[in-house]
Amino acid sequence: MRIDVITVVPQLLDSPFAHSIMKRAQAKGLLDVHVHNLRDYTPYKQAQVDDYQFGGGAGMVMMPEPLAILVEKLQEERKYDEVIYMTPDGKTLVQKTANTLSLKENLIIICGHYKGIDERVREHFVTMEISIGDYVLSGGELAAAVLVDAIGRLIPGVLNDETSALTDSHQDGLLAPPVYTRPADFRGWKVPEILLSGDPKKIGEWRHEQSVKRTEERRPDLLDDDI
Ligand code: ADE
């Protein structure tokens, strides 16, 4: 999968894709992330990419032309499945969206800054608008990093143990059960006996029960959701 991220602060994205699972995904050739500095594509002097709002009001707006130039350049090079805009007024990111997007070939992600991007870019280029939660970040970069991570780890072959994504919280609409590792007795705090039983059927049942219990206690809303 190829992901092109468009930003005015590319430095913010230096680190999130350079370590751990995202690094491995790229080293294996399963994920190809390209970060583009929008200022390199503006036709305006002094690398200008934003301007005052028509109608007045505080805050600058990202101009349509640099975004159009870069998005169209990329679209001439290959076909994109989605042009995603990270914005707090988008649809809230859930696991199901990450699952769907992990099966795509090419994605563009636009990071907004200041007051956001000119509405005409949203109307004419953007195909999906995603929020990572009901709070406002100072730009879309950290949200884009969250989205790329959530998608990237689901690409087949990225995780070592392919089944481990299947047992994540949210993957089956439930929260994940508690997990334990050695030692079996730490300061007298013992691992549940059943996990040491070696009986995969019983362990599976126990884990499912724990998942349901945890979801009922912490996120009952998930049990009503139709996912
Ligand atoms: N940009 C600013 N805040 C955001 C959010 N919550 N989600 C996505 N993009 C954003």
Side-chain angles (χ1 to χ4, degrees):
M1 171 188 290
R2 177 180 167 122
I3 303 181
D4 291 86
V5 186
I6 301 177
T7 168
V8 288
V9 198
Q11 301 85 338
L12 277 174
L13 293 168
D14 283 348
S15 177
F17 309 136
H19 307 281
S20 182
I21 291 172
M22 290 306 107
K23 181 182 178 184
R24 200 166 68 217
Q26 292 175 90
K28 282 185 177 174
L30 298 169
L31 175 65
D32 191 14
V33 183
H34 295 255
V35 177
H36 305 272
N37 187 346
L38 187 63
R39 293 185 196 282
D40 295 340
Y41 296 88
T42 182
Y44 301 104
K45 277 186 276 185
Q46 290 166 337
Q48 184 184 358
V49 289
D50 59 317
D51 211 334
Y52 295 102
Q53 299 190 46
F54 281 124
M60 306 291 269
V61 176
M62 285 169 68
M63 301 158 104
E65 199 166 356
L67 284 165
I69 289 171
L70 178 50
V71 170
E72 281 175 341
K73 174 189 168 314
L74 291 170
Q75 286 176 330
E76 273 165 27
E77 292 166 4
R78 67 197 61 75
K79 190 175 162 359
Y80 284 89
D81 300 289
E82 302 286 355
V83 178
I84 301 167
Y85 174 44
M86 303 311 301
T87 174
D89 64 7
K91 206 164 168 225
T92 308
L93 178 63
V94 289
Q95 191 63 32
K96 195 177 167 191
T97 315
N99 290 346
T100 308
L101 290 174
S102 73
L103 302 173
K104 306 291 184 191
E105 280 295 307
N106 299 306
L107 301 173
I108 291 176
I109 302 179
I110 300 174
C111 304
H113 247 270
Y114 322 112
K115 275 280 156 199
I117 64 175
D118 188 287
E119 189 67 19
R120 291 163 291 184
V121 174
R122 298 174 73 159
E123 285 167 9
H124 296 283
F125 292 101
V126 170
T127 60
M128 248 182 131
E129 301 185 327
I130 297 181
S131 162
I132 62 160
D134 289 343
Y135 43 83
V136 179
L137 302 167
S138 47
E141 287 75 15
L142 298 182
V146 167
L147 180 63
V148 172
D149 191 291
I151 297 171
R153 61 193 294 283
L154 296 173
I155 298 170
V158 168
L159 294 182
N160 275 340
D161 176 359
E162 282 244 27
T163 60
S164 72
L166 297 176
T167 56
D168 287 342
S169 278
H170 299 294
Q171 200 53 264
D172 57 1
L174 294 174
L175 300 183
V179 291
Y180 300 85
T181 186
R182 289 191 301 166
D185 184 340
F186 173 62
R187 299 182 178 173
W189 305 328
K190 296 202 175 56
V191 167
E193 204 61 47
I194 188 111
L195 295 176
L196 311 174
S197 69
D199 182 336
K201 187 162 173 283
K202 285 222 172 82
I203 292 173
E205 284 165 6
W206 180 85
R207 285 187 169 144
H208 183 69
E209 276 164 32
Q210 292 293 315
S211 278
V212 173
K213 182 165 171 271
R214 214 159 241 215
T215 312
E216 278 167 354
E217 282 167 7
R218 300 178 185 198
R219 292 292 306 277
D221 56 302
L222 292 177
L223 297 169
D224 314 327
D225 272 10
D226 205 8
I227 74 158

